[in-house]
């Protein structure tokens, strides 16, 4: 059974300043695609942003893990959260991040 670690946040257009959503997402995902495959149990990583609500932008980063132990080790490393905060600062803070873990339905 696979497990998913998801980190998300919402940016209001007036908080975006000069942030280019596509370029920032590409940088974060490129970083994760370089580091995460070295972690035990990593399956894949993906990033998304909403395209249907111009009044807000919701950004989601998700990584998939082979088992619960692998997901816990990744979650404790805070790689995703730290990279997101660096890339999107000062537009978001740690309090803006929403983190969820999911188990696959067999």
């Amino acid at each position: 059974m696979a497990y998913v670690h998801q980190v998300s946040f919402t940016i209001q257009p007036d908080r975006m300043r000069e942030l280019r959503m596509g370029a920032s997402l590409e940088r974060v995902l490129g970083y994760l695609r370089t580091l995460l495959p070295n972690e035990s149990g990593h399956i894949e990583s993906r990033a998304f942003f909403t395209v249907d609500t111009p009044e807000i932008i919701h950004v989601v980063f998700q990584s998939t893990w082979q088992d619960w132990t692998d997901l816990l080790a990744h979650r404790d490393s805070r790689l995703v959260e730290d990279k997101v905060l660096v890339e999107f600062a000062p537009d978001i803070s740690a309090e803006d991040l929403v983190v969820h873990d999911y188990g696959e339905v067999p």
Side-chain angles (χ1 to χ4, degrees):
M1 174 155 62
Y3 292 88
V4 172
H5 180 69
Q6 184 180 81
V7 177
S8 63
F9 60 92
T10 300
I11 297 179
Q12 301 295 330
D14 63 332
R15 291 180 65 200
M16 287 187 58
R17 298 188 186 133
E18 299 299 316
L19 180 65
R20 289 185 35 232
M21 187 55 62
S24 294
L25 282 173
E26 288 172 14
R27 279 192 296 274
V28 171
L29 193 55
Y31 172 85
L32 296 175
R33 284 186 174 149
T34 300
L35 289 183
L36 292 181
N38 296 323
E39 288 193 41
S40 176
H42 177 259
I43 297 173
E44 73 171 346
S45 299
R46 302 176 79 185
F48 308 91
F49 66 96
T50 54
V51 294
D52 61 341
T53 53
E55 63 277 5
I56 62 168
I57 297 172
H58 189 72
V59 180
V60 177
F61 297 90
Q62 99 182 13
S63 55
T64 307
W65 302 87
Q66 289 180 4
D67 62 43
W68 182 244
T69 304
D70 296 328
L71 183 142
L72 287 176
H74 167 67
R75 186 173 68 185
D76 290 344
S77 76
R78 292 196 42 87
L79 279 173
V80 175
E81 291 85 340
D82 292 346
K83 180 59 176 172
V84 166
L85 290 173
V86 166
E87 187 64 40
F88 291 95
D91 298 293
I92 65 159
S93 65
E95 295 79 29
D96 296 323
L97 298 180
V98 177
V99 179
H100 293 287
D101 295 316
Y102 301 93
E104 183 178 23
V105 177

